[in-house]
Amino acid sequence: MTNSQDTLFAQPGEHQGNFQFDSRVAGVFGDMIRRSVPGYGQIIATLGDFADRAVTPGSTVYDLGCSLGAATLSIRRRIEGRQCRIIAVDNSEPMLERCRENLAAYVSDTRVELMLKDIRDVTFENASLVVLNFTLQFLPPADRDALIRKIYAGLNPGGMLVLSEKLKFDSGEIQTLLDELHLDFKRANGYSELEISQKRSAIENVLIPDTLAQHRERLSSAGFAAHDLWFQCFNFVSMVAIK
Ligand SMILES: Nc1ncnc2c1ncn2[C@@H]1O[C@H](C[S@+](CC[C@H]([NH3+])C(=O)[O-])CC(=O)[O-])[C@@H](O)[C@H]1O
Ligand SMILES: O=C(O)C(=O)Cc1ccccc1
């Protein structure tokens, strides 16, 4: 997988304006996400374990906001021979191009369809597993309920949604504490204060976190009777919901 070092925010004044999933980001994304999101590697590996349990023969898996294909690759390795199909969607062309190369590096009998489109325009059918791994947080908040409802409608009974997100907290004290622990994690991974602060401004208006209560309410009102956290590290969580 592409893994050039992320130095995008290393120089003063670099990358001003809103964060975008352009070719520069796509070229360093593997390094960026591992050094920025605590638990990312564990979540990617565990998606394979969820897939092994959730994915039924002949069903469809959706990876929404697939970026370089890390989740799709982890899932695909675990569902060989089940006559399934994975639909991996991203609206960034440079991401999807690199994703195509990454998927082609391994042999598999599972068909992966890469779709360059907005996840709001996807039709869900015969789904046994839907993955939103750090993607919902980039949708305008007003569009989030409708997507979760559409996913629920397209899932087969027993089908799962795995939803990973950066969280916001009602308590200012907890927000500050977990934000600081996250910043320490980035420092420990070699990011400078300048890189941290420039990236923070760039994602401010682009990545809009919800609280855990908002996620729970959204999943419940979409119809998911069973849902809970399965992973948390600081302000990053992953939830599972079962239809
Ligand atoms: N409306 C949209 N439609 C389609 N794609 C979108 C949209 N908005 C954002 N994206 C895409 O969602 C991805 C979010 S990254 C996901 C990591 C991956 N899941 C991973 O497991 O490695 C998470 C992060 O950068 O924190 C990017 O590739 C965007 O182009
Ligand atoms: O870097 C951060 O502070 C994040 O919140 C995670 C992230 C990771 C990759 C792209 C955008 C945000």
Side-chain angles (χ1 to χ4, degrees):
M1 190 168 293
T2 318
N3 216 10
S4 305
Q5 201 190 332
D6 168 25
T7 55
L8 291 187
F9 296 93
Q11 299 306 318
E14 250 190 297
H15 225 93
Q16 276 174 357
N18 282 341
F19 186 88
Q20 286 184 341
F21 293 100
D22 56 18
S23 61
R24 296 180 72 208
V25 167
V28 301
F29 189 75
D31 180 64
M32 173 185 282
I33 194 148
R34 274 176 185 76
R35 287 165 66 208
S36 304
V37 176
Y40 176 78
Q42 159 107 56
I43 293 170
I44 289 295
T46 308
L47 281 170
D49 300 329
F50 280 115
D52 188 27
R53 287 164 188 273
V55 178
T56 51
S59 65
T60 305
V61 175
Y62 293 83
D63 179 7
L64 306 177
C66 60
S67 300
L68 302 181
T72 286
L73 277 167
S74 173
I75 292 164
R76 190 175 67 169
R77 290 198 316 122
R78 301 293 292 276
I79 61 169
E80 292 297 289
R82 296 190 200 181
Q83 275 79 47
C84 289
R85 151 176 100 116
I86 304 178
I87 298 184
V89 186
D90 207 291
N91 64 355
S92 158
E93 192 160 9
M95 284 289 197
L96 215 63
E97 275 321 302
R98 286 170 185 272
C99 181
R100 193 181 304 284
E101 290 166 21
N102 293 334
L103 293 173
Y106 304 87
V107 244
S108 169
D109 69 12
T110 303
R111 189 152 52 98
V112 181
E113 286 172 32
L114 294 183
M115 289 187 180
L116 180 66
K117 63 151 81 178
D118 196 295
I119 57 173
R120 289 167 287 189
D121 300 329
V122 173
T123 310
F124 301 96
E125 263 171 352
N126 186 29
S128 55
L129 176 65
V130 178
V131 173
L132 274 166
N133 203 38
F134 301 107
T135 305
L136 191 69
Q137 59 195 14
F138 294 103
L139 274 197
D143 295 346
R144 296 177 187 179
D145 286 3
L147 176 64
I148 298 297
R149 284 174 187 277
K150 257 173 92 175
I151 291 171
Y152 182 82
L155 274 170
N156 295 334
M160 289 185 198
L161 165 65
V162 180
L163 171 64
S164 310
E165 291 271 295
K166 188 178 194 174
L167 285 188
K168 168 177 98 178
F169 299 87
D170 289 324
S171 151
E173 242 181 315
I174 298 290
Q175 182 73 53
T176 303
L177 174 63
L178 299 186
D179 257 346
E180 284 176 0
L181 287 164
H182 176 226
L183 294 190
D184 287 344
F185 171 86
K186 291 181 108 174
R187 290 181 188 112
N189 285 324
Y191 283 120
S192 67
E193 299 308 315
L194 180 68
E195 286 177 290
I196 289 172
S197 80
Q198 294 198 126
K199 168 118 183 255
R200 180 178 267 214
S201 329
I203 63 176
E204 207 164 43
N205 304 314
V206 178
L207 190 175
I208 300 162
D210 288 324
T211 62
L212 182 58
Q214 287 175 303
H215 286 297
R216 288 193 190 281
E217 170 56 28
R218 182 177 293 123
L219 291 168
S220 296
S221 71
F224 287 102
H227 58 83
D228 222 319
L229 282 183
W230 69 268
F231 176 90
Q232 175 159 13
C233 185
F234 312 141
N235 42 353
F236 291 85
V237 298
S238 188
M239 306 181 75
V240 61
I242 308 173
K243 181 159 175 177

